[in-house]
Amino acid sequence: MIRTVIFDMDGVIVDTEPVHHYAYHQHFEELGIPIDAKMYNSFTGGSTKNTYDKIKEVFPIDIPTDQLVLRKRAIFNDAFDTKKDLELILGVQDLIKDLHNHQLELILASSASKSTINRVFKRFGLFEYFSHIVSGEDFVRSKPDPAIFVHAASLARFNEHKNCIVIEDSTNGIKAANAAGIKVVGYKSANSKDQDYSTADFLVECFKDVSAPYIKNLK
């Protein structure tokens, strides 16, 4: 029986992708580097540090990665604070409350920075529902490396992988859960472009169709 649900954040709990897209592309323009849609979509699910490390393998950028990350984050934060129509993914707030009310443990395992996670959780009042928050900035390697999910599962009250399930919307996130040996629900979001859900154990397209009893009894 599933006792712990490990959530990704971007694209699963909140659609911050338009803000990330804006921030990245403003920064790419500053740097004078042409990042096409295919390359940009390949970064989905990864950390900002990992994204810039990959970019530096392709383009001759002499700026240290940590400075690139800070600049992108500053652009993102300015945009996040002024974007009034930022909303949670349809149905996810009710699902989070339903899972919590049915005594399932919720853990966040997001590639986002701690500052971004805190902004989202504070804005939407989510802290009370999650027992642990794990940020990708604490790991050397980003998704699809499984480290973040292995760590998240180790924090669970019932810390056996068979009692955990991941909810992810990206190819990299699904691969990370696969590599961690944790079953994964692929959320096929209209906002996540060119993602591969073929290795997800289960697939959903709307959280309004998902309930705590459904999650508890997944095998």
Side-chain angles (χ1 to χ4, degrees), residues 36-57:
D36 62 21
K38 183 177 181 180
M39 186 175 186
Y40 180 76
N41 289 339
S42 73
F43 302 146
T44 301
S47 67
T48 306
K49 177 184 180 301
N50 187 253
T51 294
Y52 281 108
D53 283 340
K54 288 181 178 179
I55 287 171
K56 289 174 73 173
E57 292 174 0

Side-chain angles (χ1 to χ4, degrees), residues 114-209:
K114 293 173 186 174
S115 64
T116 297
I117 293 169
N118 286 337
R119 282 172 182 268
V120 170
F121 271 51
K122 183 177 180 180
R123 181 164 175 168
F124 296 106
L126 298 176
F127 284 109
E128 65 182 290
Y129 301 109
F130 287 78
S131 62
H132 300 282
I133 293 173
V134 183
S135 166
E137 71 178 29
D138 290 331
F139 299 86
V140 175
R141 295 184 179 86
S142 187
K143 301 171 188 176
D145 188 274
I148 190 170
F149 287 138
V150 171
H151 180 66
S154 76
L155 298 174
R157 289 193 297 267
F158 300 92
N159 61 351
E160 291 188 26
H161 285 18
K162 67 180 181 181
N163 297 129
C164 298
I165 198 158
V166 168
I167 301 181
E168 262 286 359
D169 72 313
S170 72
T171 303
N172 287 331
I174 291 168
K175 286 182 176 178
N178 295 155
I182 304 172
K183 289 186 176 180
V184 55
V185 175
Y187 171 55
K188 192 174 182 180
S189 168
N191 302 310
S192 300
K193 307 298 183 183
D194 302 324
Q195 301 305 299
D196 180 8
Y197 302 94
S198 62
T199 62
D201 298 283
F202 312 96
L203 192 64
V204 299
E205 296 189 15
C206 181
F207 288 128
K208 283 182 170 290
D209 299 328

Side-chain angles (χ1 to χ4, degrees), residues 73-85:
R73 190 173 296 165
I75 300 171
F76 175 91
N77 288 343
D78 287 344
F80 183 94
D81 289 341
T82 58
K83 187 172 174 56
K84 303 300 183 185
D85 60 341

Side-chain angles (χ1 to χ4, degrees), residues 50-105:
N50 187 253
T51 294
Y52 281 108
D53 283 340
K54 288 181 178 179
I55 287 171
K56 289 174 73 173
E57 292 174 0
V58 179
F59 298 99
I61 300 172
D62 295 329
I63 303 169
T65 298
D66 60 345
Q67 291 184 27
L68 295 170
V69 170
L70 288 174
R71 176 57 185 150
K72 182 266 177 178
R73 190 173 296 165
I75 300 171
F76 175 91
N77 288 343
D78 287 344
F80 183 94
D81 289 341
T82 58
K83 187 172 174 56
K84 303 300 183 185
D85 60 341
L86 190 68
E87 298 291 344
L88 296 177
I89 296 294
L90 180 66
V92 77
Q93 188 170 37
D94 287 340
L95 176 60
I96 287 170
K97 291 179 179 179
D98 189 38
L99 294 170
H100 183 74
N101 289 338
H102 281 78
Q103 287 76 53
L104 277 88
E105 181 181 26

